[in-house]
Amino acid sequence: MATESVHDVALTLHDQLPILQLVVPFLAAPLVMVVGAGRGVAWLIAFLASLAAFAISALLLAQVIDGGFLSYQIGGWAPPLGIEYRIDAVNAFLLFLISGVSTLVLPFAYESVKAEIAERNQALFYTCYLLCFAGLLGVTITGDAFNVFVFLEISSLSTYAIIAAGADRDRRALTAAYDYLVMGTIGATFFVIGLGLLYMMTGTLNMGDLADRIAPQTDNRTIQAAFAFIVVGMGLKIAIYPLHLWLPNAYTYAPSAVTAFLAATATKVAVYVLLRFSFSVFSPGFAFENYTYELIILPFAILAMFAASFIAIFQTDLKRMLAYSSIAQIGYMLLGLSLMNASGLAATMVHLFNHGITKAVLFMGVGALTLRAGSSFYASIRGMGRAMPLTAAAMVVGGLSLIGVPGTAGFISKWVLVQAAFEKGWWPVAFLIVLSSLLAVVYVWRFVETLYLHEPARDAAEAPLTMVVPIWITALACVWFGINTDITMTAANTAAETLLSGSTGLAEPSPWTSALPAGEASH
Amino acid sequence: MLESIPTAFLFFAMGLLAMAVPKGAARSALLVVIPLIAAWQVWTLPEGNLAPVTFFGLDLELMRVDRLSRVFGLIFCLIAALGNLYAWHLKDTVQQVAAPLYAGSAIGAVFAGDLVTLFFYWEGTAIASVFLIWARRTLGAYNTGLRYLIIQVGSGVILMAGIALLYAETGSIAFDRMTLGSLGTWCIFFAFGIKCAFPLLHNWLQDAYPAATITGTVVLSAFTTKLAVYALARGFAGTEILIYIGAIMTLFPIFFAEIENDMRRVLSYSLNNQLGFMVVGIGVGSEMALNGTAAHAFVHILYKALLFMSVGAVLYRTGKVKASELGGLYRTMPLTATFCLVGAASISAFPLFSGFIAKALILDQAAAHHHAIVWGALVFASAGVLSHSGIKIPFFTFFAHDSGMRPKEAPTHMLIAMGITAFLCIFIGVFPGTLYAILPYEVDYHPYTAAHVVGQLLLLCFALLAFGVLYRTGRHPAEIRCINVDSDVIYRKAAPSVVHIAARAISAIWQAHAGFWMRKTDLVLRGLYASHGPEGRMARVWPTGAMVLWIAILLGVTLAVIFVT
Amino acid sequence: MSDHRPATDDDLPALGRLLTWVDRPGSGTKLFRALGGFCAALLVIDLLISKHGHFHIEDVWAFYGVYGFLSFVCVIYGAKTLRFFAKRNEDYYGAQAIDREDYPLDQTGVTKEADDA
C-alpha cells in the first residue's frame, strides 16, 4: 500500500493543513493581546489569521468534497490513545462556512468594533474573538469526543466574554452574557456527563473507536442515557425550541459583529456536533435514537418553526426579531435531521450553510444600521432605506433569502427540505414547512416596510465602505448559492451520504496524515 | 439576434431601463416602443423550443413557441404597449417599473415550456403586480394589496407543491396536458384555479382590481387571469369539471355586477364572468373550443382594457368612480363615451364587434357537444353581460341622470390609446378572418350567417327592451352607495373576528400560565439569584430558571422515551 | 369661469352637443319606441330565414327574443334579491377599508385642472 511508504517521508506543509487550521488562529490570539492596542494592528492580525484559516479550509474541503476523509494524528500518537483530527465532507463544509463567515465579518467588524467597544478593550476583544473562532474550528475538526468538549468550552468561555463586550453600549449585555454562561455551563455539563457515561461503558474517547464499541451494546441503559444527555446538552447549545431562552438576549446585546459571527456559526457548530454523535458515534439504526428524533426533536422543531416565528413577528427590535427568526430556522435544520434520510440530512447541511450566510448579511446590516441610527429598534431605523440604500438593499436580499424566495440560497434549502419530507411521505410536514415560510414573509415584510415605506426618522449617511463591501459580498453569495448550487449541494449530498454510511471506524494507525478513500477506510 | 432573447427578458430590460431614463416623454415612449418590438419578435419567431437552459440539474425551456403560446404572447405584448400608451402621463417610477416586470413575467410564463419556469414567472406576476395596487399609496390600497399578495403568492406555493409532487411521481417537469387524479395534479389545478378566479376562489379579483391605480387596473385586467386561462388550456384542456366550473363562473358574477356601485368593481365582476366562457371552452377541449378560448381571451383583453380605460379616464377627470356619483358625462367627454360604447358593444357581442365572433365559437362548441344546460346558462349569461357591461357601465357613467359635473375630455394620449383599442375591437369584429388565422388550430367557422346574426340581435335587443321596460317603470335597481358582501366576508370579516377572539383567549390563558410559573420560579430561585445579576432585574431571573426547568423536563422526557421504547 | 366648465350647451364639444338630444323631453320615449320597432322587424325576419341550430329549440320562432327578455328580467330580480341579502354600508369593513376610500385626488387630473383654472 502506498500509505505504508509514507511513514518516514518528510512532511510537507500540505500534510499539516488540519493542524494549521487550528494553530493559526490559536497563535494569533495571544499575539493580538501582546501587540495590543495599536490602532488597526490587532484587527489586521485577526483578519489575516481568519483569511489564512479560510484558505486552509478551502483546501481541505477540496480534498474531501467527493467523499473519503483525512485523518491526522496529533504528535504522531495513534488513536485511540492519541488525539485524532478527522476531516470528511461534513466538517470540511462547516470549517469552510465558519472561516468564510469570519473572514467576511472581520472587515465589517473594523468600524463596528471601533464604535461599539471602548478602545482599551479592543485588543482583548479580538483575542477572545480569535479564541472563539479557533474553538469553533476545533469542535468541528476533531475526531475525539473529549476534545470536542474541550474546544466547546474554549469557544463558549470566549463567547461569554465577547458577548459581554457589548456592555460598553448597553449594560444589559452583562446579564445576557451571564445568563448564557449559566445555561451554557449546564448544557456543557450535560454533554460531559454523557461523555462520561460513554467512557464508563467503552473505555475510549475516539469517535471511531466509540462507534465500534457501542454497536454491540445498544440495549445498555447507560449507553442510552448517555445519548439522552448528549442530545439535551447539545440541544441547549443549538437552542432547540424550549432551550432557546439564552439566545435572544445574547444576540440582542452582543456587539453587532459578534452577533453576525455567532448567529452564522455557533449554533451551526452545535448542530454539527449533534449530527456527528447521532450518526458517526451512535448509529441511526438504533431504535432509541429514532424514537428520540421522531417523538422529541421533530415536534419541537416544528414548534420552533411556528412559535419562534410568531414571536419574531411581534418584536419591536430588528436585531431581536432576527434572533427569534434564527430559533425558527434552527427548527428547519432539526426537522431535516429528524427525517433521518439522505435528502433530509442534505437539507440540514445545506441549510446550515445557507442560513449561515443569510443571517450574516442580515446581522451585519443591522450592525450598519445601528452604527448610523443609534439602535436597531424599528422606531429608530424607520425610513433608513432611503438614507442607506446600499445597506438596506442588501438586507432585502437577505430577507428574501430568509423567506426562501426562488433565486436565493434560502430557496434551495427549503426546496430540498420539502423534497425530503415528500420522499419520506410526510407531506403534512412539507405543508407545515411551506406554511411557516409565510410567517417569514410577514416578519421580513415588517422590516422592509419599516426601512422603505416610512419617512426617515433622521438624516444619516450610508455605512462606511468597510461595512458595505462585506455585506454585499455576503448578499451576493446568498444569490450566487441560490443559483449555482454546485458547491453547496455537492458538499451537502456527500456529507449526507458520509453521515448515513455510519461510522468510518478506527483509523489505520499511521503517523501524521493519511488520506483514505471512503471504501477502504476500515480494512 | 432578437430570436435568441426570451421575450420576457426584453420586458425586464425595459423595466430596468425605465429606472435609468428620466421621467417624462422619453421614458413613456420607451415603455410603448419596446412592447411593440417584443410583439414583432413574437410574431416572427419560428416555432420550437428556442431557449433551452439547464439549471440546478433541470432542463428548462424558457421559450416554447407554438401556436397556442404565440397568440397569448402576442396579445400580451400588444396590450402592454396600449396600456403604457394610456399611462403616458405617469411620472411614477414604481408603476413604470412594476408594469414591465409584471407584463414580462406573464409573457415569460406563457412561453414557459416546463413547470419550474412557469412557477418562477407565476410568482413574478404576483410580486410585480402588487405594486400597481400599492402605488395608489393609501392605507386601504395597502391592506388590499397585502390580501392580494397573500392569495397570489399562496397560489404559487400550491403550484410549487403540486410540481414537486408531480415530479416525484413522474420524474418530469414538462408542462403539457395533465389528467386530474393524483394530489400533484390537483394542487396544480387548484393553483391555476386561484389565479383564474374560480367560484369561491375569485374574490381577490374584485377586491384588488378596483383598488389599483387608474392605469394599474388596465394593466392588471389583462395579464393575471388570462395567464391562468392559458395555463388551464395548456394543462387541463378537455377536463370535464371545467365546463361546470366555467358555467357557474359565467352566472354568479352577473348578479353581483348588477348591484355593485363601484364601476371598476362592476368591470371586475364582468371580467370574472367572461373568464367563465373561456373556462367552458377549455373544459369542452375540442380544437374548435380551444380556438374559441384563445380567440375570446384575445378580444376580451382588448375590450376589457377599453372599458377599464374609459372608466379610468372618467376617474382621472372627476376623481369619482361610483355609479351613484356619476352620470351625464357624455356632454363634455363624448369621445370617451363613444369608446366606452364600443367596448360595451364588443363585450355584449353585438354583430360587427369583436365579442360576437369569439364568443360564438365557445357557444357553438358547447352546443355541438350536447351540453344543453351549460349552453342555456351561457346564453343566459350573454344577456347578463349586456345588463352590466353593455348597459350599466356606459349608461350610468355617461348618460342617465346628470351629475352636474362638466369635466374636460380625457387627455389626448388616453384618447389615442382608447381609439386604437376601439378600432381593433371593431376591426376584428368586421374581419374575423384576421384573428381566426392566428388561432391555435385551423378554423372552420363562419360567424356571419343569417341565423346567427338574427338570433344574437334578437337576444340582445329583447334584453335591451326588457331594460327599457324595467327602467322606465322604476323597477331597475337604483344606484346607491353601498357594498355587497361576497366570499371575501370570510377572510375580511369572519376570520379576523375569530382570530381576535382566539387571541384574547390565548393571551388570557398565557398570562395566567406565565404568572403561575413566574411566581413559582421566583420562589425557588430568589435565594440563589438575589446576589447575582449586575442589574439585578427580576425579569432576567425567570428565563434562566425556566430554562433549567426546561432542560430537566426535556432530559426526563428523552430518557423516558428511550427507556420505555 | 374657465373654458372647460361650459356654462351652456353651446360650449360643449360638437359631438357632446349632438348627443344632448337624448336628454330632451320625449327623446327617451322615441328611443324606446324605435327599439320596439326594431325588435318587431327582427321577429319578422326571424320568420323568413332558415335555421339549423344544434338544438331544436333554437329553430323555434322568436326563441332568442323570449329567452333574452326573460333572462334580463331574471337577472334584474335575481340581483334585487341578492342585494336584499348582501347589501352593507360602505364602512362595513372598517372606516379605512378600500371600499370606503375615495381615490386619491393627487393622482388624478382633477387637481391639475384646478391649478389651470
Side-chain angles (χ1 to χ4, degrees):
Chain A
M1 279 289 295
T3 42
E4 292 300 314
S5 61
V6 187
H7 282 206
D8 302 314
V9 173
L11 289 154
T12 61
L13 205 55
H14 191 256
D15 297 325
Q16 300 287 12
L17 282 178
I19 189 75
L20 283 174
Q21 178 84 80
L22 281 192
V23 165
V24 171
F26 260 129
L27 285 183
L31 191 63
V32 164
M33 197 169 68
V34 174
V35 175
R39 285 180 67 86
V41 180
W43 173 83
L44 187 69
I45 297 174
F47 176 68
L48 289 177
S50 174
L51 193 64
F54 180 56
I56 294 168
S57 71
L59 289 173
L60 287 175
L61 179 61
Q63 290 181 54
V64 294
I65 192 165
D66 294 319
F69 65 87
L70 300 172
S71 170
Y72 180 91
Q73 295 159 15
I74 304 283
W77 292 84
L81 288 178
I83 291 170
E84 178 198 13
Y85 287 176
R86 186 177 289 200
I87 299 136
D88 57 18
V90 189
N91 52 4
F93 189 42
L94 211 65
L95 292 171
F96 183 70
L97 170 71
I98 299 167
S99 52
V101 167
S102 170
T103 310
L104 282 169
V105 165
L106 275 170
F108 164 85
Y110 183 69
E111 289 288 340
S112 176
V113 165
K114 266 207 290 195
E116 292 180 14
I117 295 173
E119 196 170 343
R120 64 193 151 82
N121 290 337
Q122 285 177 11
L124 283 172
F125 170 81
Y126 283 115
T127 308
C128 290
Y129 176 92
L130 280 172
L131 284 175
C132 173
F133 175 51
L136 292 174
L137 291 174
V139 172
T140 312
I141 204 168
T142 188
D144 183 278
F146 193 74
N147 217 222
V148 169
F149 171 70
V150 173
F151 281 121
L152 197 66
E153 280 304 280
I154 292 175
S155 74
S156 298
L157 291 171
S158 43
T159 304
Y160 309 141
I162 53 178
I163 288 174
D168 288 334
R169 196 169 58 86
D170 189 330
R171 303 295 290 173
R172 279 174 288 182
L174 295 175
T175 6
Y178 180 74
D179 279 345
Y180 184 24
L181 182 140
V182 172
M183 298 182 199
T185 308
I186 293 172
T189 310
F190 272 50
F191 180 66
V192 85
I193 289 173
L195 289 185
L197 293 175
L198 283 183
Y199 188 61
M200 199 166 88
M201 296 316 295
T202 62
T204 184
L205 284 168
N206 180 283
M207 288 185 192
D209 202 18
L210 269 175
D212 292 344
R213 297 185 189 205
I214 288 172
Q217 41 182 341
T218 53
D219 292 335
N220 187 315
R221 285 276 155 103
T222 314
I223 297 275
Q224 296 178 350
F227 181 71
F229 272 99
I230 288 171
V231 166
V232 174
M234 266 306 131
L236 194 138
K237 283 279 174 191
I238 295 173
I240 289 181
Y241 182 65
L243 308 181
H244 67 284
L245 295 168
W246 58 270
L247 189 145
N249 278 343
Y251 280 14
T252 309
Y253 299 119
S256 307
V258 172
T259 311
F261 177 64
L262 289 182
T265 58
T267 48
K268 276 68 180 174
V269 167
V271 173
Y272 160 76
V273 174
L274 186 63
L275 274 172
R276 188 53 96 191
F277 273 85
S278 299
F279 288 90
S280 300
V281 175
F282 295 88
S283 152
F286 298 170
F288 66 84
E289 188 172 329
N290 272 322
Y291 282 117
T292 308
Y293 274 107
E294 258 182 51
L295 297 179
I296 297 183
I297 304 291
L298 178 72
F300 280 122
I302 292 175
L303 190 64
M305 280 154 45
F306 284 90
S309 297
F310 274 117
I311 299 173
I313 288 171
F314 296 114
Q315 289 303 311
T316 53
D317 181 343
L318 178 54
K319 209 171 172 189
R320 203 175 182 81
M321 183 283 273
L322 291 173
Y324 276 107
S325 140
S326 280
I327 297 167
Q329 301 286 326
I330 287 163
Y332 292 115
M333 296 173 210
L334 292 173
L335 180 61
L337 181 49
S338 43
L339 288 172
M340 289 272 171
N341 60 10
S343 22
L345 281 176
T348 300
M349 288 308 293
V350 81
H351 199 50
L352 277 181
F353 186 88
N354 289 342
H355 177 247
I357 55 176
T358 304
K359 269 289 148 60
V361 178
L362 288 168
F363 275 118
M364 284 199 276
V366 171
L369 289 173
T370 310
L371 181 74
R372 291 299 189 225
S375 87
S376 54
F377 283 100
Y378 283 136
S380 54
I381 58 167
R382 191 173 290 164
M384 292 296 276
R386 299 182 203 174
M388 306 172 68
L390 291 174
T391 309
M395 290 189 70
V396 172
V397 175
L400 293 177
S401 179
L402 196 57
I403 299 170
V405 174
T408 60
F411 169 73
I412 304 295
S413 12
K414 283 199 185 152
W415 174 265
V416 181
L417 190 58
V418 170
Q419 269 187 331
F422 276 124
E423 207 169 279
K424 183 95 177 179
W426 291 358
W427 62 265
V429 171
F431 175 72
L432 290 175
I433 295 167
V434 176
L435 199 67
S436 64
S437 300
L438 290 180
L439 297 177
V441 174
V442 178
Y443 60 68
V444 167
W445 173 246
R446 269 203 70 196
F447 84 71
V448 173
E449 188 223 355
T450 308
L451 285 177
Y452 284 99
L453 298 185
H454 288 274
E455 287 306 311
R458 69 193 73 228
D459 284 333
E462 180 56 85
L465 216 55
T466 50
M467 288 185 162
V468 173
V469 172
I471 291 175
W472 264 104
I473 292 177
T474 326
L476 290 177
C478 282
V479 178
W480 171 257
F481 287 117
I483 295 170
N484 186 324
T485 55
D486 281 352
I487 299 180
T488 47
M489 282 314 294
T490 314
N493 285 327
T494 316
E497 279 161 26
T498 311
L499 285 173
L500 271 183
S501 61
S503 160
T504 37
L506 191 56
E508 185 95 338
S510 64
W512 305 111
T513 310
S514 50
L516 298 176
E520 300 170 24
S522 49
H523 56 103
Chain B
M1 181 208 87
L2 208 51
E3 266 179 30
S4 55
I5 306 171
T7 314
F9 291 7
L10 284 179
F11 282 83
F12 299 150
M14 172 166 83
L16 292 179
L17 266 179
M19 271 193 274
V21 176
K23 292 171 190 169
R27 187 192 281 183
S28 301
L30 174 89
L31 291 174
V32 176
V33 171
I34 294 193
L36 290 176
I37 296 175
W40 179 78
Q41 184 210 20
V42 171
W43 182 255
T44 51
L45 279 179
E47 288 184 23
N49 173 16
L50 304 182
V53 175
T54 307
F55 169 78
F56 195 5
L58 296 170
D59 293 322
L60 305 187
E61 298 177 19
L62 299 187
M63 279 300 280
R64 185 240 316 254
V65 183
D66 60 12
R67 291 182 66 89
L68 180 61
S69 57
R70 192 203 303 272
V71 66
F72 276 88
L74 194 65
I75 185 63
F76 279 2
C77 291
L78 253 178
I79 204 66
L82 286 170
N84 286 338
L85 177 60
Y86 180 78
W88 186 279
H89 64 280
L90 222 54
K91 293 191 170 54
D92 179 357
T93 309
V94 171
Q95 290 188 66
Q96 286 174 319
V97 173
L101 295 183
Y102 173 41
S105 301
I107 290 166
V110 161
F111 286 117
D114 65 277
L115 290 164
V116 174
T117 310
L118 179 77
F119 164 74
F120 274 80
Y121 285 126
W122 195 265
E123 290 289 37
T125 58
I127 293 162
S129 59
V130 74
F131 287 95
L132 298 174
I133 299 166
W134 282 338
R136 176 160 163 170
R137 298 183 173 84
T138 63
L139 186 64
Y142 171 73
N143 289 330
T144 302
L146 273 185
R147 285 197 291 275
Y148 169 82
L149 188 64
I150 288 170
I151 294 172
Q152 294 293 311
V153 170
S155 155
V157 170
I158 296 169
L159 178 64
M160 185 179 89
I163 295 170
L165 284 168
L166 193 70
Y167 181 64
E169 192 187 324
T170 64
S172 155
I173 54 161
F175 180 25
D176 287 313
R177 191 168 295 197
M178 291 169 264
T179 329
L180 280 180
S182 66
L183 183 65
T185 45
W186 273 105
C187 277
I188 295 175
F189 184 75
F190 193 68
F192 289 176
I194 293 175
K195 258 203 169 47
C196 197
F198 281 2
L200 296 182
L201 307 175
H202 66 283
N203 227 153
W204 60 267
L205 197 164
Q206 290 82 1
D207 187 17
Y209 285 9
T213 61
I214 293 171
T215 51
T217 309
V218 174
V219 179
L220 279 170
S221 77
F223 295 111
T224 300
T225 50
K226 259 62 74 184
L227 168 59
V229 165
Y230 165 79
L232 283 170
R234 172 72 73 187
F236 294 100
T239 304
E240 195 183 352
I241 188 175
L242 284 174
I243 300 177
Y244 307 106
I245 293 176
I248 296 170
M249 273 170 89
T250 59
L251 292 179
F252 84 92
I254 296 173
F255 301 99
F256 278 101
E258 194 55 43
I259 53 174
E260 178 56 53
N261 194 28
D262 183 322
M263 283 302 193
R264 294 200 294 173
R265 187 163 290 143
V266 174
L267 286 173
S268 304
Y269 275 112
S270 155
L271 173 61
N272 207 343
N273 146 287
Q274 295 288 304
L275 292 170
F277 285 97
M278 300 175 215
V279 171
V280 170
I282 299 167
V284 172
S286 63
E287 289 194 350
M288 280 305 284
L290 289 176
N291 275 339
T293 296
H296 199 222
F298 195 98
V299 298
H300 163 79
I301 287 176
L302 289 171
Y303 57 64
K304 183 58 69 183
L306 178 57
L307 287 167
F308 269 118
M309 284 179 186
S310 60
V311 170
V314 168
L315 175 56
Y316 183 76
R317 279 307 190 205
T318 64
K320 295 184 167 57
V321 75
K322 288 178 179 158
S324 55
E325 299 174 330
L326 296 172
L329 297 179
Y330 72 87
R331 292 179 180 79
T332 51
M333 303 180 79
L335 288 172
T336 310
T338 311
F339 295 138
C340 184
L341 282 170
V342 172
S346 298
I347 195 171
S348 312
F350 273 97
L352 298 182
F353 291 92
S354 57
F356 178 74
I357 63 112
K359 196 152 71 180
L361 287 169
I362 296 171
L363 278 161
D364 182 68
Q365 283 299 304
H369 289 78
H370 313 294
H371 296 288
I373 295 174
V374 171
W375 175 80
L378 295 187
V379 178
F380 176 88
S382 302
V385 174
L386 178 80
S387 78
H388 54 79
S389 291
I391 298 174
K392 179 169 178 165
I393 294 287
F395 186 71
F396 289 103
T397 308
F398 296 102
F399 301 94
H401 82 282
D402 186 5
S403 64
M405 289 187 288
R406 296 288 181 268
K408 273 201 284 192
E409 181 56 278
T412 318
H413 62 272
M414 289 190 179
L415 289 177
I416 298 173
M418 286 189 274
I420 297 173
T421 319
F423 168 77
L424 287 172
C425 285
I426 298 173
F427 181 83
I428 293 171
V430 176
F431 303 105
T434 49
L435 176 60
Y436 288 173
I438 59 170
L439 292 181
Y441 304 101
E442 197 77 11
V443 178
D444 176 30
Y445 181 76
H446 303 286
Y448 288 107
T449 61
H452 185 208
V453 171
V454 171
Q456 183 73 3
L457 280 176
L458 270 174
L459 181 80
L460 295 174
C461 291
F462 272 85
L464 269 175
L465 200 66
F467 168 73
V469 172
L470 292 171
Y471 185 70
R472 290 167 67 83
T473 52
R475 292 194 174 87
H476 195 269
E479 305 308 315
I480 48 176
R481 292 197 72 123
C482 67
I483 61 164
N484 304 296
V485 292
D486 194 349
S487 64
D488 59 348
V489 74
I490 296 167
Y491 56 85
R492 292 181 68 185
K493 199 81 181 181
S497 329
V498 171
V499 169
H500 190 67
I501 293 166
R504 288 215 332 231
I506 290 170
S507 90
I509 294 168
W510 174 253
Q511 272 171 9
H513 163 91
F516 173 77
W517 284 111
M518 238 161 113
R519 280 192 298 280
K520 286 286 169 198
T521 43
D522 267 14
L523 222 60
V524 175
L525 300 165
R526 187 170 296 158
L528 185 61
Y529 282 91
S531 57
H532 294 72
E535 299 187 358
R537 291 180 171 216
M538 292 316 277
R540 293 275 152 266
V541 173
W542 82 265
T544 317
M547 181 88 159
V548 175
L549 202 63
W550 268 117
I551 195 165
I553 292 171
L554 203 65
L555 181 71
V557 174
T558 314
L559 283 172
V561 165
I562 288 177
F563 288 169
V564 169
T565 55
Chain C
M1 209 47 218
S2 61
D3 56 347
H4 56 265
R5 278 205 169 265
T8 66
D9 285 356
D10 295 335
D11 297 333
L12 294 176
L15 183 58
R17 205 164 34 206
L18 206 65
L19 282 172
T20 52
W21 175 83
V22 299
D23 272 342
R24 287 206 198 126
S27 293
T29 316
K30 280 183 197 160
L31 274 176
F32 185 60
R33 282 183 188 153
L35 180 64
F38 187 63
C39 287
L42 281 172
L43 287 181
V44 174
I45 297 171
D46 197 36
L47 267 181
L48 305 177
I49 56 175
S50 69
K51 293 181 283 191
H52 308 283
H54 290 288
F55 302 109
H56 291 302
I57 195 166
E58 285 186 78
D59 304 337
V60 175
W61 177 72
F63 162 72
Y64 275 107
V66 174
Y67 198 91
F69 194 93
L70 290 181
S71 296
F72 199 95
V73 173
C74 282
V75 167
I76 297 300
Y77 281 96
K80 282 184 154 181
T81 317
L82 178 64
R83 176 174 267 182
F84 177 77
F85 290 108
K87 189 182 137 195
R88 298 287 187 281
N89 281 333
E90 282 184 332
D91 55 0
Y92 179 67
Y93 291 120
Q96 295 187 303
I98 190 76
D99 318 86
R100 182 68 193 280
E101 182 178 281
D102 282 324
Y103 195 82
L105 281 186
D106 57 339
Q107 289 179 37
T108 66
V110 178
T111 45
K112 281 168 211 142
E113 209 170 317
D115 291 344
D116 297 341

